[in-house]
Amino acid sequence: QNEKELQDVVKQQEEKMLQLIDKSGEVMRLKAEVSELKRLLQRAETEAKVLWEEMRGKEHQVDTAYVQERVMLRREVDKLRLLLVQKEDENIRLTDKH
């Protein structure tokens, strides 16, 4: 009887652990999705900022090649900032573990 109860409890715990693992995977997937959406939002904001700066004061003459270069450079700066933040976060996590 006790062995049967123990097996039931162990089975219930295993099921709970599997549910938590499933939820953990879903949380990780959602975090990745949020991260991607933030990246896309940052990219759109970067493009909008550059275009706004270019359009201010220029009504008809717009050098599209120059604007595209500015957008690309601004994206590169944003990407480098993001990499820096990720490395800083990674360093914090590593120091927290030890």
Side-chain angles (χ1 to χ4, degrees), residues 1-95:
Q1 169 110 19
N2 284 341
E3 189 174 325
K4 173 78 168 121
E5 288 176 16
L6 183 59
Q7 287 176 348
D8 288 343
V9 169
V10 168
K11 187 176 179 182
Q12 289 174 356
Q13 288 299 320
E14 287 175 349
E15 289 173 2
K16 286 181 183 178
M17 286 177 59
L18 288 175
Q19 288 174 349
L20 287 174
I21 289 170
D22 286 346
K23 287 181 183 176
S24 170
E26 180 69 7
V27 168
M28 294 291 279
R29 188 188 66 74
L30 289 173
K31 284 183 178 181
E33 189 176 332
V34 166
S35 178
E36 176 69 8
L37 289 171
K38 285 181 179 179
R39 188 187 67 74
L40 290 172
L41 175 62
Q42 184 179 28
R43 181 176 178 174
E45 287 173 340
T46 296
E47 291 177 13
K49 185 186 287 186
V50 170
L51 292 172
W52 183 252
E53 289 172 359
E54 285 303 310
M55 296 306 291
R56 197 179 317 135
K58 295 183 179 180
E59 292 188 15
H60 297 294
Q61 78 256 23
V62 177
D63 182 355
T64 56
Y66 175 72
V67 172
Q68 288 175 340
E69 182 181 358
R70 293 245 352 240
V71 168
M72 184 197 68
L73 290 172
R74 188 74 72 130
R75 279 186 195 159
E76 198 63 31
V77 168
D78 288 344
K79 184 168 59 170
L80 291 172
R81 282 187 183 137
L82 179 63
L83 286 173
L84 176 62
V85 168
Q86 289 172 342
K87 284 297 180 188
E88 289 172 346
D89 288 348
E90 187 178 317
N91 287 341
I92 289 170
R93 272 184 266 142
L94 288 173
T95 54

